[in-house]
């Protein structure tokens, strides 16, 4: 009887110790997440704070996170200076280019991923892994041949120069193929028996079930294109044809000492990617979690 009670006591103590260990792990992970989030948020909060400060408060040696005087003058200046900083033109250039690029990436990469995940053809794996190997090549290496091609096509100073060259990336193919392979193939077989074609399976079965992965790729693609700086600088000569990040480089040269105006421009540039992530956060997290899983 005493041995039984001793065994129960030991089991209870082990259970408590295990629960305490799990709680400690959760606390440590939460603490690390809070620290990382703080490091990410502090620069953003400083941009917001500086954007609404008058210049006299910006250069004040005393650091104030909350402005003593809130002003919209910085935004009025950048929206009114259409000659040196056509920021609305840059904004809509970026929006059109990023949206067009994202839609085309989703179309082409999903078609390619469907072929690699569902179809059978000769040398499929060899071709696929050869494509994946190109992900190890730095993108800047392609700048010179890509620029020559864009120049020969007459796309310099046009949105096409910033929409089409990046469509050959294979990251989206990899991401979507991993997700597509997690969808049961029994659905395909049932559809084929009912007389459906592969395009019908792609549009009516695979795509509706792949919203998380598609949203994840859309977020990555949109943010990558929206934040691109070097390539738009190379392929645009007229300032009016530039995207917002590339335009802000000129903008910085114009107002090199006016940090309030610079932060106002940076804040405008940061709003669309943040909104996109917040709107698609549920699908984004789910897509990342499921893309590495297979049936």
């Amino acid at each position: 009887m005493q041995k039984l009670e001793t065994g129960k006591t030991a089991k209870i103590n082990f259970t408590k110790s295990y629960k305490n260990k799990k709680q400690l792990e959760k606390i440590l992970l939460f603490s690390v997440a809070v620290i990382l989030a703080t490091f990410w948020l502090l620069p953003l909060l400083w941009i917001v704070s500086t954007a609404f400060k008058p210049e006299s408060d910006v250069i004040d040696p005393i650091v104030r996170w909350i402005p003593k005087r809130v002003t919209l003058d910085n935004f009025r200046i950048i929206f009114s200076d259409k000659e040196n900083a056509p920021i609305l033109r840059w904004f809509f250039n970026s929006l059109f280019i990023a949206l067009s690029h994202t839609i085309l990436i989703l179309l082409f990469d999903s078609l390619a991923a469907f072929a690699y995940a569902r179809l059978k053809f000769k040398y499929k794996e060899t071709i696929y892994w050869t494509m994946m190997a190109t992900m190890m090549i730095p993108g800047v290496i392609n700048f010179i041949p890509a620029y020559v091609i864009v120049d020969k096509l007459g796309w310099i100073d046009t949105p096409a120069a910033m929409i089409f060259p990046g469509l050959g990336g294979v990251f989206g193919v990899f991401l979507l193929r991993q997700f597509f392979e997690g969808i049961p193939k029994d659905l395909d077989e049932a559809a084929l028996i009912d007389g459906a074609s592969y395009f019908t399976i792609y549009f009516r079965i695979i795509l509706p079930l792949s919203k998380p992965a598609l949203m994840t790729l859309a977020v990555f693609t949109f943010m990558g294109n929206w934040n691109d700086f070097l390539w738009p600088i190379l392929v645009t000569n007229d300032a009016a044809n530039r995207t917002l990040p590339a335009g802000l480089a000129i903008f910085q040269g114009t107002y090199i000492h006016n940090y309030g105006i610079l932060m106002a421009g940076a804040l405008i540039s940061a709003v669309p990617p943040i909104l996109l992530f917040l709107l698609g956060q549920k699908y984004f997290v789910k897509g990342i979690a499921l893309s590495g899983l297979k049936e």
Side-chain angles (χ1 to χ4, degrees):
M1 188 68 177
Q2 186 176 1
K3 289 183 179 180
L4 184 60
E5 291 179 355
T6 303
K8 288 182 178 179
T9 304
K11 186 176 181 180
I12 292 172
N13 291 335
F14 175 79
T15 304
K16 288 182 178 179
S17 176
Y18 180 77
K19 288 182 178 179
N20 291 336
K21 184 179 178 181
K22 285 294 183 181
Q23 288 177 353
L24 181 60
E25 289 179 355
K26 288 181 179 179
I27 292 173
L28 289 175
L29 289 174
F30 181 75
S31 300
V32 171
V34 169
I35 293 171
L36 293 175
T38 301
F39 277 113
W40 183 85
L41 284 173
L42 284 178
L44 183 61
L45 293 176
W46 185 251
I47 288 175
V48 175
S49 175
T50 306
F52 290 97
K53 289 179 182 178
E55 188 61 22
S56 59
D57 291 350
V58 172
I59 61 176
D60 193 332
I62 300 175
V63 176
R64 291 186 175 89
W65 289 90
I66 300 176
K68 290 190 301 183
R69 294 174 294 165
V70 176
T71 180
L72 296 176
D73 289 344
N74 296 323
F75 294 93
R76 291 193 186 100
I77 291 173
I78 61 176
F79 282 118
S80 62
D81 190 1
K82 296 180 181 180
E83 181 178 353
N84 294 315
I87 198 164
L88 284 178
R89 176 70 179 269
W90 294 339
F91 181 88
F92 286 111
N93 286 347
S94 288
L95 191 62
F96 171 74
I97 291 168
L99 286 175
S100 301
H101 182 76
T102 301
I103 292 170
L104 290 174
I105 281 284
L106 291 177
L107 175 62
F108 295 150
D109 285 7
S110 62
L111 285 169
F114 176 78
Y116 285 116
R118 288 305 208 247
L119 304 184
K120 294 180 180 180
F121 53 90
K122 197 173 183 180
Y123 304 122
K124 180 178 78 171
E125 293 299 321
T126 302
I127 298 172
Y128 176 75
W129 289 110
T130 301
M131 288 176 53
M132 291 302 105
T134 63
M135 293 177 65
M136 302 176 66
I137 302 174
V140 293
I141 292 178
N142 299 322
F143 274 17
I144 293 177
Y147 183 87
V148 172
I149 293 172
V150 167
D151 185 38
K152 293 293 185 182
L153 292 172
W155 287 353
I156 298 297
D157 259 340
T158 67
M162 292 165 277
I163 293 174
F164 291 103
L167 297 181
V170 296
F171 170 75
V173 179
F174 170 76
L175 181 70
L176 294 179
R177 187 204 188 195
Q178 293 297 105
F179 195 93
F180 290 173
E181 288 185 341
I183 299 175
K185 293 186 178 180
D186 295 344
L187 299 175
D188 299 16
E189 295 171 359
L192 289 172
I193 292 174
D194 289 340
S197 65
Y198 281 112
F199 277 104
T200 302
I201 295 171
Y202 165 75
F203 281 112
R204 305 291 290 272
I205 297 176
I206 300 298
L207 290 187
L209 294 175
S210 303
K211 289 180 182 178
L214 293 171
M215 189 63 195
T216 301
L217 180 59
V219 171
F220 279 135
T221 304
F222 184 90
M223 293 180 67
N225 187 278
W226 179 275
N227 293 324
D228 194 10
F229 170 76
L230 184 55
W231 181 250
I233 286 284
L234 292 175
V235 296
T236 53
N237 298 319
D238 188 350
N241 295 325
R242 291 190 168 179
T243 58
L244 188 53
L248 289 177
I250 302 174
F251 190 50
Q252 183 175 356
T254 305
Y255 300 102
I256 189 64
H257 298 299
N258 198 326
Y259 296 106
I261 294 179
L262 288 176
M263 292 303 102
L267 181 59
I268 294 171
S269 179
V271 168
I274 293 175
L275 288 178
L276 178 64
F277 177 78
L278 293 176
L279 292 173
Q281 183 180 12
K282 179 180 69 175
Y283 292 110
F284 179 80
V285 174
K286 188 176 180 181
I288 290 294
L290 297 180
S291 293
L293 301 179
K294 294 185 181 180
E295 185 183 9

